[in-house]
Amino acid sequence: MTKPPKKQNALSLLAGDPQGRALGLDLPRGTIVDGPAGRRTPLRAGARREPLLWVSDEPVGVGALAACRARPALADAGLQAVLLQDRRGLEHWWTRDELRPGSMSDPDDHHVEPVLREFWAGVVPDPEEGEGPDGAGLIAPFGRDWPGLAEQRVALEDPEEAALALADDLIRDGVLPGPRLALIPAGRGADVPTAMGWQGAANHEEDTALLTTVVRSWEERFGARVVALGFDELHLSVAAPPPTAVAALPVAAEHFAFCPDNVWQGSGSIRAYADEAVTGVAHWGFWWD
């Protein structure tokens, strides 16, 4: 099937209009971050560059993401608004040539079930390692076989409202102590990491499009939305988290396949992780070592 032609990158208009007034936006002062054009295209001398994202020059506060996403012009321009967070020692990581959109595949070429099945096969322990924290006890009540996708939940609140509420909570609680507002050309929020060439999970998976495939599915099954990214962190809001421990277990298995460090260096087992970080929890945070 022939894919539709790519829309013009609206960020090119912000180069001469950094506050986005021509697009119907009212942005704070910001900067365009350029990157190599096209997928899998290495940047050679003289090669054309295109805007990857727009980032506010200063940290933003409570309500900033909501004010931006409330503008209908944002979606009309094909832009997604998220927050970016510095990391100590890697301030302004988005300007340090850490973004590699050309190394990503296309999320449309992948399907969530085989992606998670392969992730799972790559992280479950070998049965010869026993029942300790690095053995079968880690993934109980599941075995080495992929347990399958968790069931879809019905959202009890609007996913967009849940995302904006979480953004403000993360700022108030100091989880995002100095976030920048960012605009990325992408058709949906789940596509943001791939569109900007984010490599935060490179120690687990170098092709961020595979992660986007999973987040797309979480958007549809749990009302998840991408709220913020750090150098190696991803924060999602969840409008329909599993309400019970039983319902949370298969979701926790998906999280382990997606980001094993959450369990390996966190709760210690899928069962404990389901209780602590999934059951009724409307913020799914991921960190890759």
Side-chain angles (χ1 to χ4, degrees):
M1 180 182 294
T2 302
K3 295 181 181 180
K6 185 178 178 181
K7 293 179 63 176
Q8 180 184 7
N9 189 337
L11 292 183
S12 60
L13 301 176
L14 293 180
D17 177 26
Q19 291 185 284
R21 293 192 174 97
L23 293 174
L25 303 174
D26 186 16
L27 301 171
R29 292 177 60 88
T31 302
I32 297 290
V33 177
D34 290 334
R39 294 189 185 279
R40 301 190 180 279
T41 303
L43 184 63
R44 298 180 294 274
R48 180 175 64 87
R49 299 177 72 94
E50 67 175 20
L52 279 184
L53 63 154
W54 171 96
V55 186
S56 64
D57 289 340
E58 300 294 334
V60 297
V62 169
L65 187 63
C68 186
R69 287 194 179 185
R71 301 273 181 167
L74 191 73
D76 293 343
L79 298 173
Q80 299 290 329
V82 298
L83 300 174
L84 302 184
Q85 178 60 50
D86 279 330
R87 173 174 166 178
R88 180 172 296 181
L90 286 167
E91 290 80 5
H92 302 179
W93 53 265
W94 50 86
T95 67
R96 296 186 173 204
D97 291 330
E98 297 287 348
L99 304 180
R100 293 284 186 272
S103 69
M104 311 303 172
S105 63
D106 190 332
D108 290 342
D109 294 336
H110 307 290
H111 300 281
V112 64
E113 184 94 43
V115 166
L116 280 173
R117 183 184 297 113
E118 184 170 351
F119 282 173
W120 177 264
V123 298
V124 295
D126 188 292
E128 295 182 0
E129 294 181 359
E131 294 289 337
D134 295 321
L138 176 77
I139 59 173
F142 306 111
R144 286 188 56 82
D145 291 340
W146 164 239
L149 293 181
E151 292 185 4
Q152 181 170 342
R153 309 297 308 181
V154 177
L156 299 180
E157 62 178 317
D158 178 80
E160 184 64 15
E161 292 181 3
L164 300 179
L166 177 64
D168 288 347
D169 287 345
L170 295 180
I171 294 172
R172 290 192 194 97
D173 296 344
V175 177
L176 302 176
R180 306 298 182 96
L181 181 65
L183 304 182
I184 295 93
R188 56 196 286 184
D191 292 359
V192 162
T194 299
M196 65 185 286
W198 181 76
Q199 298 188 104
N203 288 340
H204 173 55
E205 174 54 56
E206 294 183 350
D207 187 358
T208 304
L210 300 180
L211 304 181
T212 280
T213 299
V214 178
V215 179
R216 281 181 173 185
S217 180
W218 288 343
E219 280 186 341
E220 296 159 2
R221 286 185 289 141
F222 305 107
R225 296 292 185 269
V226 174
V227 171
L229 297 96
F231 174 74
D232 52 7
E233 298 177 17
L234 178 64
H235 298 274
L236 308 180
S237 62
V238 188
T244 66
V246 172
L249 276 170
V251 179
E254 292 188 25
H255 284 206
F256 177 58
F258 181 81
C259 179
D261 288 327
N262 273 25
V263 175
W264 283 339
Q265 301 189 46
S267 303
S269 72
I270 285 179
R271 196 184 296 277
Y273 178 79
D275 290 340
E276 298 168 7
V278 182
T279 306
V281 177
H283 169 212
W284 291 352
F286 301 97
W287 168 73
W288 291 267
D289 188 3

